Amino acid sequence: MTTILNTLEAPPRYIPNDPRPSLIGMTRDALADALAKAGVPEKQRRMRAGQIWHWIYHRGVQSFAEMSNIAKELRQRLDEEFVIGRPEIVTEQVSNDGTRKWLLKLAPDERGARHEVEMVYIPEADRGTLCISSQVGCTLTCTFCHTGTQKLVRNLTANEIVAQVMTARDGVKDWPSDIEANPTPPLGGRYITNVVLMGMGEPLYNFDNVKDAMEIVSDGEGISLSKRRITLSTSGVVPEIPRAGAEIGTMLAISLHGTTDEIRDKLVPLNKKYPIKELLAACRKYPGLSNARRITFEYVMLKGVNDSPEDAKRLVKLLAGIPAKINLIPFNPWPGTQYECSDWDTIERFAEIVNKAGYASPVRTPRGRDIMAACGQLKSESQKIRAKERLALEAH
Ligand code: SF4
């Protein structure tokens, strides 16, 4: 049964019309510049930036008042100039399998609009994966994906991407002080062990913000999640793949889903621009690729569309020579979809062919289907604002 833990009645964490910028999501350099604007003398800036970084990202504090090794006067000044709060939680749902989904309401953007995004936490025996969003909506229209039916509203800022990780850490009590106080701490000392950029949006169409956000999330003096535990999933924005490897440096996942251009054109229309051959050529050149650093290929199992033994054989041939892992995803239905999930026997037969060829091909157990939190099911009510509405908002 689904449990809704929070609703809009929960106290809002956002102060209406608050003009103060957030320090969350600023790179270390940007943080030092912000401190300069707050009047911190140059000689102290680096040290103060380090202290504030530690409080925000290592300890997870939500107010400057808690930063006890910073002089009271500076704390007050920081509080006048900046915020370090979190987005508003509209709902937090817990699936009967323990999966959690949060609907977050973002602070107003420059047009005054407050959009919503979803993120999902999936606890498993050996890991806890947080799936975060990089855009509100998506420009791409992958036909098996619920988010694809929601037009792109806007890119998320680095602040909004990092704040998802921080909000989830609050929610599952994953900050070091929570873990120390926990009589039965999780294996490896954390609940969130992995982050995947597989929620709403195409991360490579929001490159700079994703890059800054992942730099912050992986910083060893803060949240400190290794880039080997962060996976960026792309539908195949070929020109950005080498840059992603060189500049973002996380693990890579490809939403493949089809083994011929004819099928993939239908499932992932971006394929018409960057066909399978070009996509796989970019994968072969992904920096640092090795057996210890494999690319994950995601393959959603759609009945009668891409699930035949011939598809499995073609898949194996296509990936020859690429250190790869294949994630078979039983299709998670959503209202209005034209697809059905493949039968279990068909999925097993497909997995067997792929396994025999030497590829690890775990079949991803559907998680959180009862709360529409499973892969490809995310969507928020935020709509692209029309020019007329924007003008009306700006006039207020
Ligand atoms: S699968 Fe990813 S890229 Fe494709 S529509 Fe959904 S969110 Fe966008």
Side-chain angles (χ1 to χ4, degrees):
M1 209 188 70
T2 304
T3 318
I4 299 196
L5 294 182
N6 286 302
T7 65
L8 270 174
E9 281 92 60
R13 302 206 240 173
Y14 138 81
I15 304 166
N17 304 320
D18 191 341
R20 295 172 298 171
S22 177
L23 292 183
I24 295 174
M26 286 187 186
T27 58
R28 281 176 179 272
D29 288 347
L31 179 59
D33 289 349
L35 294 183
K37 281 190 199 124
V40 174
E42 198 180 347
K43 272 200 277 177
Q44 287 182 20
R45 242 171 258 158
R46 184 180 269 270
M47 185 258 297
R48 292 288 180 218
Q51 287 173 322
I52 292 168
W53 189 274
H54 180 85
W55 282 108
I56 296 177
Y57 297 116
H58 181 75
R59 303 230 187 177
V61 300
Q62 295 193 44
S63 74
F64 293 105
E66 292 171 77
M67 300 183 175
S68 54
N69 60 354
I70 294 178
K72 203 167 167 199
E73 197 206 5
L74 178 56
R75 278 188 264 158
Q76 268 165 358
R77 214 169 338 129
L78 290 171
D79 194 43
E80 281 157 22
E81 302 270 348
F82 306 107
V83 290
I84 49 170
R86 311 284 196 258
E88 190 178 321
I89 297 172
V90 181
T91 54
E92 179 177 355
Q93 292 171 276
V94 184
S95 156
N96 50 17
D97 66 16
T99 300
R100 280 171 186 249
K101 179 171 85 167
W102 291 266
L103 175 65
L104 304 178
K105 193 164 199 155
L106 307 170
D109 60 18
E110 73 276 13
R111 294 181 182 125
R114 296 194 63 197
H115 296 300
E116 292 175 343
V117 284
E118 292 188 313
M119 62 170 185
V120 177
Y121 172 66
I122 308 137
E124 288 172 281
D126 62 339
R127 65 179 61 199
T129 305
L130 179 69
C131 176
I132 59 173
S133 296
S134 55
Q135 297 182 310
V136 184
C138 190
T139 36
L140 303 177
T141 49
C142 303
T143 49
F144 58 87
C145 170
H146 200 200
T147 311
T149 63
Q150 180 186 6
K151 283 201 175 113
L152 176 73
V153 179
R154 68 171 171 82
N155 280 336
L156 294 183
T157 61
N159 163 280
E160 291 160 343
I161 299 170
V162 176
Q164 290 176 66
V165 179
M166 302 182 73
T167 306
R169 289 198 98 187
D170 300 339
V172 300
K173 305 226 172 310
D174 197 31
W175 295 104
S177 57
D178 301 320
I179 301 291
E180 273 160 32
N182 186 340
T184 50
L187 274 178
R190 296 174 172 250
Y191 285 106
I192 299 173
T193 60
N194 294 61
V195 165
V196 293
L197 282 144
M198 288 185 193
M200 296 161 62
E202 165 52 64
L204 294 186
Y205 280 158
N206 186 13
F207 194 98
D208 293 339
N209 290 331
V210 165
K211 178 182 162 186
D212 284 351
M214 292 309 104
E215 215 43 65
I216 293 167
V217 169
S218 61
D219 187 291
E221 288 168 27
I223 297 170
S224 194
L225 258 180
S226 148
K227 283 189 180 171
R228 286 180 163 257
R229 291 188 168 268
I230 302 174
T231 303
L232 183 153
S233 172
T234 177
S235 53
V237 186
V238 168
E240 299 290 5
I241 290 177
R243 242 186 105 203
E247 296 180 30
I248 305 178
T250 58
M251 305 299 278
L252 182 70
I254 303 286
S255 273
L256 189 65
H257 313 304
T259 56
T260 64
D261 283 328
E262 198 191 348
I263 297 174
R264 195 165 188 267
D265 279 353
K266 285 194 191 114
L267 299 176
V268 185
L270 186 68
N271 193 68
K272 291 181 197 150
K273 202 166 174 190
Y274 306 118
I276 293 176
K277 204 170 158 201
E278 286 178 30
L279 174 59
L280 296 182
C283 290
R284 286 197 165 83
K285 287 191 219 134
Y286 192 68
L289 204 55
S290 69
N291 271 336
R293 223 174 122 80
R294 289 177 290 174
I295 295 179
T296 301
F297 289 87
E298 291 153 7
Y299 198 94
V300 63
M301 298 298 296
L302 302 169
K303 191 178 198 160
V305 177
N306 63 355
D307 60 352
S308 70
E310 288 67 42
D311 284 301
K313 288 177 200 154
R314 257 196 310 266
L315 178 61
V316 166
K317 266 200 190 153
L318 280 176
L319 302 188
I322 305 179
K325 192 173 114 183
I326 299 161
N327 249 352
L328 298 178
I329 309 166
F331 173 63
N332 296 303
W334 39 269
T337 180
Q338 56 180 302
Y339 298 113
E340 276 178 70
C341 181
S342 307
D343 300 326
W344 203 253
D345 288 354
T346 311
I347 297 178
E348 282 188 341
R349 200 170 54 218
F350 197 102
E352 205 182 301
I353 297 171
V354 173
N355 273 325
K356 271 201 183 136
Y359 290 99
S361 61
V363 179
R364 203 189 283 170
T365 318
R367 299 290 304 265
R369 271 185 176 176
D370 55 335
I371 55 170
M372 289 287 286
C375 208
Q377 288 186 316
L378 303 189
K379 182 177 180 180
S380 74
E381 294 303 319
S382 289
Q383 297 297 330
K384 193 173 175 73
I385 190 162
R386 280 190 282 270
K388 234 166 130 191
E389 292 164 334
R390 193 180 301 152
L391 286 173
L393 262 171
E394 280 165 2
H396 279 90

